[in-house]
Amino acid sequence: MIKRLQKLFDELGSWEESKSLFKWIFAIGKDFKRYILGFLIINTTSMLISVGSAVAGRYVVDAATNFSTSLFFRYIIIMFVTTILSIIISSVSSLFSGYVNEKFAFGIRAKMFDRIQKSVWNKVTKYHSADILARLSGDIDTISQTIITFLPNVIVAGCQLVIVLVILIAYDPVLAVIGLIVGPVGVIASLTFRKKFSYYHTKLRESQSEYYSFMQETFSNIGVVKTFQLENDNNSTFNDIRNRRMKLVLKSTTLSNIMSALLRLVYSIGYVVTFSWCAYRLTSTATYVDPLSGEIATYTYGTMTLFLSLVSQLQNSMKSLGHIVPRIYSLIISSKRVHEITDLEAEKISDNKNIPSEISLCAENISFAYNDDDRLILNGLSFHIPVGCRVGIVGLSGAGKTTFIRLLLSLIKPTSGKLEYIDENGNSEIASPDSRRFISYVPQGNTLMSGTIRSNLLAGCPDATDEDMWAVLEKADAAEFLKKTANGLDTVLSEGAGGLSEGQAQRIAIARALLRPGSILLLDEFSSALDAETETSLMERLTSRLPDHTMIFITHREKIIDYCTDVLRLS
């Protein structure tokens, strides 16, 4: 049995990988043991009521055929009560399942979201954002539904199988044998299709990621789409993606329907055989020992009704057990995709919040290549940027300016050489995720988030007061236009800073950076959307009002260079 399981998991990956995944699955489910146990108790109660209702149904039929009015109404009341209880418990189970599923799924999403933010930059950026969103939604839902709902239901189905078999054996061992012969066919059928289930589940997840990725790229660049008149081309590409996905959906659905049809056929044959056997016993003079009274009894219509109901429950239990293999495949595949993200290497960040009043930057013989076999983007770069300097970083496209920024922000590490920050006492700190606390960064382009201008500014310093915010807005030459708006700091921005011009958005981004406590101001083409007059005004404000700040300008504009005390040319 163990070897068969190993072979099954090897089809999805190595046996060791599968064991590692199950350890991860167990770890994320550990905190929900009480909820899972509660769900088990609720569904087990529902199952026992269902079995009890079937037994009561036997006596209702027998009482009716024997014209026993008192017994008839007694057992009708029992059936009515069990039916009402079953409905109530089913509602409670559905409510409980929905709540716990969402709570469980949100817990995994929170961990995944946290890891995405704290992962090493060049590890997480290998994944398309839409692919990550697909994993955050569909894959986590699959994991949650399987662990919280499906697996407990399978345990209940197993218990129901045992209970029903015991009852059938007590009444008529032949029916138990019929059930045991017919039931495993469903499990065998699901094993037969296991490879196809695995293949289609994987491909459908991948196609969902492709689907989301294309839509997100289109919506994020809607201006480019319109400008280049790509609407019809994009519709054609979208239809191609849809058609490929529809083919997968059709094949997957066909496979499921074939399996369902086979199961229905097998279980229908089982039901007919059971019905025929019960009818035969009903017409014969066969007797049995009633397990409840211990007396010799003959087969009645009530007994036949009980047997048919129990065999139906037996088949339903077998159906649930028959879904184990494809659901386990889905669980493993989705877990792999989520675990792949949650297992990304995390940045090492300490709790050091100390920011020296003066900090300089020194690089010794830095080289960098994005891959071991790639050409060096930077080769033997050395420099020293003292406190209070204004340095212009210039170079042709491809010279390494973007790489230079990533090194300063410790998004990447030098292939060789050393980059360090030095405080006023001569203490040095090697560039790392911790050293980002020294830097206030103004990215290129529009980087504001949807929300209010206030919320965007508070990203720079959560404790900033209104007075602090207006002060930096003044320095960034953004206070004047913002005061003219109806809501000021509480002006709501849509996605992409909708409601502001590119130049206004850039100045808000500069103000956000100025709220940061770091004394090194890193500005990447910060004035690209500004007119010459505004650019000059802004540069004069920054250089005159922030004399103690070290400023690093990534720029193509000679006018910016005129304000710099030093220039570093990359080639």
Side-chain angles (χ1 to χ4, degrees):
M1 182 65 180
I2 298 297
K3 288 182 178 179
R4 288 183 180 179
L5 285 173
Q6 288 181 355
K7 184 178 179 182
L8 184 149
F9 293 133
D10 283 340
E11 291 170 2
L12 296 167
S14 72
W15 170 242
E16 290 302 320
E17 286 177 352
S18 297
K19 286 199 296 185
S20 175
L21 273 177
F22 275 105
K23 286 181 181 178
W24 177 77
I25 292 167
F26 177 78
I28 62 175
K30 197 173 181 181
D31 294 336
F32 284 79
K33 288 186 295 185
R34 290 180 303 164
Y35 293 104
I36 295 172
L37 179 61
F39 195 67
L40 273 171
I41 292 172
I42 291 171
N43 284 9
T44 300
T45 303
S46 178
M47 177 268 292
L48 291 173
I49 289 173
S50 177
V51 173
S53 181
V55 174
R58 170 211 168 177
Y59 291 103
V60 169
V61 174
D62 282 345
T65 54
N66 292 328
F67 303 102
S68 177
T69 305
S70 60
L71 287 176
F72 175 79
F73 282 110
R74 181 191 304 171
Y75 287 110
I76 276 291
I77 291 171
I78 292 174
M79 284 194 69
F80 178 77
V81 171
T82 54
T83 300
I84 295 299
L85 284 174
S86 180
I87 292 171
I88 293 172
I89 291 175
S90 176
S91 299
V92 171
S93 175
S94 178
L95 180 64
F96 188 77
S97 173
Y99 170 77
V100 177
N101 263 307
E102 182 57 33
K103 188 179 178 71
F104 182 80
F106 184 82
I108 305 175
R109 288 190 181 102
K111 291 177 182 177
M112 186 172 169
F113 184 71
D114 180 67
R115 179 48 62 96
I116 290 167
Q117 295 182 93
K118 295 179 179 177
S119 292
V120 173
W121 177 83
N122 57 354
K123 302 289 185 184
V124 73
T125 50
K126 292 179 180 179
Y127 298 90
H128 195 287
S129 55
D131 178 34
I132 291 177
L133 287 174
R135 298 175 193 231
L136 274 166
S137 54
D139 287 305
I140 288 180
D141 284 340
T142 296
I143 295 169
S144 175
Q145 289 164 9
T146 303
I147 293 176
I148 299 298
T149 304
F150 177 73
L151 292 181
N153 282 340
V154 165
I155 294 172
V156 173
C159 294
Q160 185 177 29
L161 176 67
V162 172
I163 292 172
V164 170
L165 278 176
V166 168
I167 295 174
L168 286 175
I169 290 171
Y171 276 101
D172 192 332
V174 174
L175 287 177
V177 171
I178 292 173
L180 285 174
I181 292 174
V182 173
V185 175
V187 179
I188 295 171
S190 65
L191 287 170
T192 303
F193 294 112
R194 66 185 184 275
K195 287 185 179 180
K196 286 291 185 181
F197 271 117
S198 172
Y199 173 79
Y200 286 127
H201 185 84
T202 302
K203 289 299 179 183
L204 283 169
R205 287 294 182 213
E206 290 174 356
S207 73
Q208 185 183 41
S209 295
E210 181 186 19
Y211 182 71
Y212 284 168
S213 298
F214 181 74
M215 287 194 294
Q216 183 175 334
E217 293 282 1
T218 300
F219 299 151
S220 298
N221 299 285
I222 193 68
V224 175
V225 171
K226 290 181 175 295
T227 303
F228 286 84
Q229 297 180 305
L230 297 173
E231 293 92 341
N232 291 333
D233 290 339
N234 280 356
N235 286 339
S236 177
T237 303
F238 186 82
N239 286 332
D240 288 341
I241 294 173
R242 182 200 63 184
N243 291 337
R244 288 196 297 272
R245 181 171 174 80
M246 287 303 297
K247 287 179 181 178
L248 287 170
V249 170
L250 181 61
K251 290 179 179 178
S252 177
T253 304
T254 300
L255 184 67
S256 296
N257 286 336
I258 289 173
M259 181 177 170
S260 296
L262 287 174
L263 288 174
R264 284 197 300 270
L265 176 62
V266 170
Y267 291 138
S268 294
I269 292 172
Y271 188 85
V272 170
V273 170
T274 301
F275 186 87
S276 301
W277 174 254
C278 289
Y280 166 73
R281 300 287 276 180
L282 191 61
T283 58
S284 68
T285 57
T287 59
Y288 67 94
V289 178
D290 190 315
L292 295 180
S293 65
E295 299 175 354
I296 301 297
T298 58
Y299 281 80
T300 63
Y301 290 107
T303 310
M304 182 177 180
T305 302
L306 172 63
F307 289 165
L308 292 174
S309 178
L310 290 176
V311 169
S312 177
Q313 291 187 31
L314 181 68
Q315 291 179 345
N316 288 333
S317 300
M318 288 291 189
K319 285 178 186 178
S320 296
L321 296 173
H323 289 139
I324 288 178
V325 173
R327 287 300 292 265
I328 291 297
Y329 267 98
S330 298
L331 174 64
I332 293 176
I333 291 166
S334 291
S335 296
K336 270 187 175 183
R337 285 167 53 84
V338 173
H339 186 47
E340 190 177 329
I341 302 298
T342 60
D343 201 39
L344 286 172
E345 180 185 353
E347 292 180 326
K348 296 178 181 178
I349 303 176
S350 71
D351 295 327
N352 187 2
K353 304 297 182 184
N354 178 46
I355 302 177
S357 57
E358 296 181 359
I359 194 85
S360 61
L361 185 59
C362 183
E364 295 180 13
N365 201 31
I366 285 180
S367 296
F368 181 81
Y370 280 97
N371 295 301
D372 294 337
D373 56 346
D374 278 358
R375 70 178 181 87
L376 290 173
I377 306 298
L378 298 175
N379 187 9
L381 178 65
S382 297
F383 59 84
H384 178 242
I385 302 178
V387 175
C389 276
R390 298 189 295 274
V391 181
I393 310 297
V394 297
L396 299 174
S397 295
K401 297 189 296 297
T402 300
T403 300
F404 180 84
I405 293 171
R406 290 171 181 170
L407 284 168
L408 292 187
L409 294 171
S410 297
L411 297 175
I412 54 179
K413 296 178 181 179
T415 304
S416 62
K418 183 171 66 174
L419 177 64
E420 58 184 353
Y421 295 85
I422 305 170
D423 67 18
E424 64 270 24
N425 298 317
N427 300 314
S428 64
E429 182 176 321
I430 298 296
S432 69
D434 275 334
S435 60
R436 292 175 195 150
R437 69 187 189 278
F438 304 140
I439 298 177
S440 297
Y441 176 45
V442 181
Q444 184 176 355
N446 181 355
T447 58
L448 299 185
M449 301 179 184
S450 57
T452 63
I453 289 177
R454 182 191 300 277
S455 65
N456 273 275
L457 291 174
L458 289 175
C461 179
D463 299 325
T465 63
D466 282 14
E467 185 179 352
D468 295 332
M469 286 185 270
W470 282 114
V472 294
L473 286 167
E474 184 68 33
K475 291 176 183 177
D477 199 18
E480 185 178 349
F481 78 79
L482 192 56
K483 286 177 180 177
K484 294 178 182 178
T485 62
N487 297 313
L489 292 172
D490 294 313
T491 299
V492 177
L493 305 178
S494 59
E495 185 179 5
L500 297 180
S501 69
E502 286 291 319
Q504 290 172 333
Q506 281 190 327
R507 281 177 278 171
I508 297 294
I510 293 169
R512 178 179 61 189
L514 294 179
L515 277 173
R516 287 268 293 173
S519 60
I520 298 176
L521 189 58
L522 177 60
L523 304 104
D524 182 13
E525 299 288 0
F526 77 103
S527 62
S528 58
L530 302 179
D531 58 76
E533 183 180 347
T534 304
E535 180 184 66
T536 300
S537 172
L538 181 56
M539 284 300 298
E540 289 177 352
R541 286 170 183 258
L542 291 177
T543 54
S544 63
R545 300 185 185 187
L546 301 169
D548 297 329
H549 274 63
T550 300
M551 300 185 191
I552 303 174
F553 299 95
I554 314 298
T555 184
H556 287 94
R557 299 198 182 194
E558 289 299 325
K559 208 164 192 179
I560 300 295
I561 300 301
D562 292 341
Y563 286 89
C564 295
T565 56
D566 294 280
V567 177
L568 178 61
R569 297 186 183 277
L570 302 179
S571 60

